Amino acid sequence: MLKTALITDRHYLDHFPGRGHPECPERVKVLLDMAAGLHRERLERIAPREATIAELELCHDPRYVALMRQTAARESYDFDPDTHASRATYHTSILAAGGFLTAVEAVLGGQADNGFAIVRPPGHHALPDHAMGFCFFNNVAIAARYLTHVKGMDRVMIVDWDVHHGNGTQDIFYASPRVLYCSLHQFPHYPGSGSVREIGIDEGRGYTVNLPLPATFGDREYLSAFDRVILPVGRQFRPDFLLVSAGFDCHFRDPLADMRVTEQGFAAMARRLKRLAAECCGGRMALVLEGGYDLQALASSVREVVEELGRDAAEPLAPGAPDREAWLLEKVMKELSPFWNF
Ligand SMILES: [Zn+2]
């Protein structure tokens, strides 16, 4: 039995992006209610800390961090038509970035085997100098840089299964061979990036892996992508820590996208990553909430993943036979074959 650090807090309800906005406080409300009913003995519930300015600046331009701080004194500030900061946004955002650092620290410190930070606002669209796509600070990228720059780790792997491409995370690590970024996302779809050809630049070539999936792909196709591409690359990269941008908007009920992943599919993806982490880095792994906009699907999916994180890592994996995704995976493998063996 594994112990999971669960980080969440009522302060994650404070950021209010506007009436009728899908990235609403109720997302965390339903997860707080769900988490209250989880098995207590498997969970280490830890309150989030705030990220420091220096930690935010691991990934963000100091002028942008200063601008974000100033939004706390304004009624509202619009970064794009979907991304509005209000008075509480800065504080909620530093608590989101810090909440994921809390999960990572709990794993590093041995308080838990793995961790899940249930935070908002999400982060993977946030750029070094700009908020976009409901995101203000890039929570997963800050944690990756924290591991390499503060904790001295050589290699960090990020797997992003949110239905949208994590353009911010890709951008931050595009030239880095120390952070391997793998994204599965609906394509074409918001924000438009994430094609097979985007594989990194300079020293970072081969360390960005994009799986642009057509609409209607579901559990079997996602798991096949894990088995044929993500796990083989991960085993060769041998991360010191595995981070997951866990978005639940590829669920079949989600109103913002058209994929067909189920609760069991999310658990199976988590199981594969848990096994990869067990093989490469003593199981060190932490997930952070990104998207997921159907409240019922979000609660039931996060529950399945948290339950999975507590199970013994040695359970067998269900095989995924390639079928209608084979052409796409072949294309991805061909593009990456100078860098990785498949
Ligand atoms: Zn998303």
Side-chain angles (χ1 to χ4, degrees):
M1 200 166 81
L2 301 174
K3 192 155 220 176
T4 300
L6 191 72
I7 286 79
T8 191
D9 196 278
R10 293 202 69 82
H11 281 295
Y12 291 127
L13 307 180
D14 294 348
H15 161 59
F16 183 69
R19 197 184 295 272
H21 197 290
E23 205 290 284
C24 56
E26 287 74 20
R27 297 179 63 235
V28 163
K29 173 83 171 58
V30 297
L31 294 175
L32 286 169
D33 293 345
M34 180 279 295
L38 290 171
H39 296 296
R40 289 178 178 277
E41 69 275 15
R42 283 183 175 180
L43 294 178
E44 187 73 28
R45 294 169 198 263
I46 308 175
R49 69 170 176 88
E50 295 173 0
T52 65
I53 300 289
E55 287 163 350
L56 300 172
E57 290 179 358
L58 287 169
C59 291
H60 294 284
D61 186 323
R63 284 166 300 182
Y64 171 65
V65 175
L67 171 64
M68 274 298 295
R69 287 179 78 176
Q70 288 160 16
T71 64
R74 302 171 64 139
E75 200 59 52
S76 71
Y77 187 94
D78 297 345
F79 286 96
D80 71 28
D82 298 320
T83 312
H84 315 282
S86 55
R87 285 185 197 281
T89 301
Y90 175 70
H91 182 255
T92 317
S93 299
I94 61 173
L95 204 61
F100 195 35
L101 294 176
T102 305
V104 165
E105 286 166 340
V107 175
L108 288 177
Q111 290 166 270
D113 298 292
N114 50 46
F116 197 148
I118 295 174
V119 307
R120 62 180 285 279
H124 73 156
H125 296 305
L127 294 161
D129 61 354
H130 206 78
M132 74 175 269
F134 316 167
C135 303
F136 299 89
F137 293 126
N138 196 314
N139 305 321
V140 78
I142 290 167
R145 280 261 166 87
Y146 174 79
L147 286 166
T148 56
H149 287 51
V150 180
K151 294 294 174 183
M153 289 192 164
D154 290 325
R155 290 177 306 280
V156 175
M157 178 173 180
I158 300 173
V159 176
D160 184 337
W161 75 49
D162 186 280
V163 81
H164 303 99
H165 181 242
N167 61 298
T169 313
Q170 170 171 300
D171 185 81
I172 290 165
F173 300 112
Y174 210 47
S176 172
R178 295 177 70 188
V179 177
L180 170 66
Y181 177 65
C182 300
S183 176
L184 307 101
H185 44 273
Q186 182 173 333
F187 190 87
H189 199 50
Y190 182 88
S193 52
S195 76
V196 172
R197 304 292 295 274
E198 295 167 38
I199 59 165
I201 47 163
D202 302 333
E203 279 191 307
R205 273 170 63 80
Y207 295 92
T208 292
V209 175
N210 280 307
L211 291 141
L213 311 177
T216 77
F217 271 24
D219 293 354
R220 222 188 43 74
E221 294 84 8
Y222 271 76
L223 296 177
S224 181
F226 272 77
D227 292 344
R228 297 191 66 199
V229 177
I230 293 175
L231 299 183
V233 171
R235 286 192 186 101
Q236 291 164 69
F237 179 69
R238 295 201 68 78
D240 299 310
F241 206 111
L242 176 55
L243 302 177
V244 184
S245 271
F248 295 88
D249 38 12
C250 47
H251 189 281
F252 69 91
R253 286 176 56 108
D254 196 273
L256 297 196
D258 313 290
M259 305 310 257
R260 295 186 180 163
V261 178
T262 69
E263 283 78 351
Q264 292 69 36
F266 288 115
M269 291 193 278
R271 183 186 300 187
R272 279 160 169 76
L273 294 178
K274 202 174 56 170
R275 170 168 287 196
L276 177 66
E279 288 173 17
C280 297
C281 51
R284 286 195 293 267
M285 162 174 168
L287 295 81
V288 64
L289 182 65
E290 297 281 0
Y293 304 100
D294 181 275
L295 298 178
Q296 186 190 321
L298 178 64
S300 54
S301 300
V302 172
R303 170 191 283 273
E304 282 300 316
V305 169
V306 173
E307 298 280 3
E308 179 59 45
L309 290 175
R311 287 188 198 116
D312 192 334
E315 285 176 39
L317 304 175
D323 183 21
R324 63 174 182 152
E325 71 283 9
W327 63 272
L328 173 66
L329 301 184
E330 295 295 341
K331 211 164 114 180
V332 172
M333 290 187 279
K334 185 161 176 254
E335 195 69 37
L336 291 165
S337 60
F339 312 100
W340 308 102
N341 295 318
F342 294 99

